[in-house]
Amino acid sequence: MTIKINHVGEINTNTHGTKMKIVRYGSNEDVDIEFLDEFHYIKEHQAYSNFKSGGVKNPYDKDLYNVGYFGVGNYSSRDNGKRAFAYKTWTGMIERCYLNKKAFPAYYGKCEVCPEWHNYQNFAKWFEENKYEVNERLHIDKDILFPNSNIYSEETCLLVPQKINMMFMNKPNKRGLPNGIFKIQNGYRAEYQGNKIGKYNTLNEAYDAYSIAKENNIKKLADEYKNIIPKKLYDALYAYKVDI
């Protein structure tokens, strides 16, 4: 007579370090496993051998830089055999904030992703609901609505055409001055996009002139995209103030 072994209640740890327990045992090829974390997700119809080896993946394990997790929902990481654009955007956002300081000095330790967006499913839902057709790449931006924002979240972010987003990227310079401002013998010179604006006695005067030129250009670009971009983005571009 063959004695059927019931493995219900057995506990092990998966390769990510999450405890898991067998909650139903049908056969060695059919066990249901509950992960003993805050989500208590149950993964059904798993092989007992995978449970014993720790090879059962928990969708709530924070396996993207110890922050991001895939979650459970309708959104895939693949689209027609390629990485989905929402997934690439999500991983890039997490990477900038949490990879390391050397790779992303302007983000690491300075910016964060809201807890809701640690879950890819939540981010992908927002992304799909907010994307729109444009003949260029859409970037996620956290600074246009709230200048100098340090958090990626549904409240602070917009999807922005690449050409527009590039206007808000300020790379650090070695002069110790804001971009567009140059020290000259008797004061400062302001330039915008390679065009000389004028010479000024003080840094603030030079930057005021630079700011006006940049704000006018932002409005001009907003008008070019008016029939493409969401009204929320258009209004934010028109209200944007360049701050030293």
Side-chain angles (χ1 to χ4, degrees):
M1 182 177 67
T2 302
I3 299 175
K4 184 178 180 180
I5 300 174
N6 188 342
H7 293 283
V8 171
E10 278 191 32
I11 292 176
N12 198 10
T13 301
N14 73 1
T15 55
H16 191 80
T18 303
K19 283 188 176 182
M20 52 186 181
K21 179 174 71 173
I22 294 177
V23 294
R24 185 190 67 82
Y25 180 85
S27 70
N28 276 356
E29 300 303 320
D30 182 24
V31 300
D32 293 351
I33 298 165
E34 178 185 0
F35 293 98
L36 304 181
D37 58 8
E38 61 183 297
F39 298 100
H40 292 275
Y41 178 70
I42 296 176
K43 203 160 190 177
E44 301 177 337
H45 310 302
Q46 302 297 301
Y48 178 69
S49 60
N50 285 343
F51 171 80
K52 291 297 288 182
S53 68
V56 184
K57 182 174 174 57
N58 178 10
Y60 292 99
D61 280 343
K62 298 178 180 180
D63 52 8
L64 185 63
Y65 306 114
N66 296 314
V67 173
Y69 53 92
F70 195 80
V72 176
N74 298 323
Y75 299 98
S76 173
S77 63
R78 311 293 292 181
D79 183 15
N80 293 322
K82 299 180 180 179
R83 283 214 309 170
F85 193 61
Y87 188 72
K88 288 194 289 186
T89 303
W90 178 72
T91 56
M93 174 182 68
I94 298 286
E95 182 178 61
R96 287 192 294 276
C97 295
Y98 302 105
L99 174 56
N100 60 59
K101 186 174 183 178
K102 184 177 179 180
F104 298 99
Y107 292 86
Y108 185 84
K110 301 174 183 177
C111 299
E112 61 182 311
V113 177
C114 71
E116 291 77 15
W117 279 5
H118 292 182
N119 185 336
Y120 170 65
Q121 298 298 317
N122 293 337
F123 176 81
K125 182 176 186 294
W126 174 87
F127 185 94
E128 294 299 326
E129 290 174 350
N130 286 273
K131 71 178 184 180
Y132 48 92
E133 291 297 323
V134 60
N135 292 326
E136 58 192 280
R137 183 179 175 182
L138 284 174
H139 289 210
I140 186 166
D141 181 275
K142 61 176 177 52
D143 299 298
I144 294 177
L145 279 178
F146 300 94
N148 302 314
S149 169
N150 65 355
I151 187 167
Y152 287 94
S153 70
E154 183 173 343
E155 293 74 27
T156 59
C157 287
L158 295 165
L159 292 177
V160 182
Q162 180 171 320
K163 185 176 179 181
I164 292 178
N165 196 51
M166 293 298 291
M167 296 185 66
F168 296 89
M169 293 184 178
N170 289 315
K171 295 182 179 179
N173 59 61
K174 298 179 181 180
R175 305 188 308 272
L177 293 170
N179 287 329
I181 309 300
F182 301 84
K183 186 73 177 73
I184 58 177
Q185 185 174 2
N186 296 316
Y188 298 87
R189 184 180 77 248
E191 295 182 6
Y192 182 67
Q193 293 188 337
N195 298 315
K196 294 181 180 179
I197 301 171
K199 298 177 182 178
Y200 304 90
N201 293 326
T202 68
L203 174 60
N204 283 340
E205 289 173 330
Y207 199 78
D208 285 344
Y210 169 87
S211 298
I212 291 170
K214 185 168 184 176
E215 288 166 8
N216 287 339
N217 202 48
I218 291 172
K219 291 181 174 69
K220 179 181 177 182
L221 196 58
D223 286 333
E224 291 179 16
Y225 281 80
K226 186 175 183 179
N227 295 326
I228 300 174
I229 60 179
K231 186 176 185 299
K232 185 177 183 180
L233 173 55
Y234 177 83
D235 291 343
L237 292 172
Y238 249 76
Y240 191 84
K241 296 296 181 183
V242 178
D243 189 352
I244 195 169

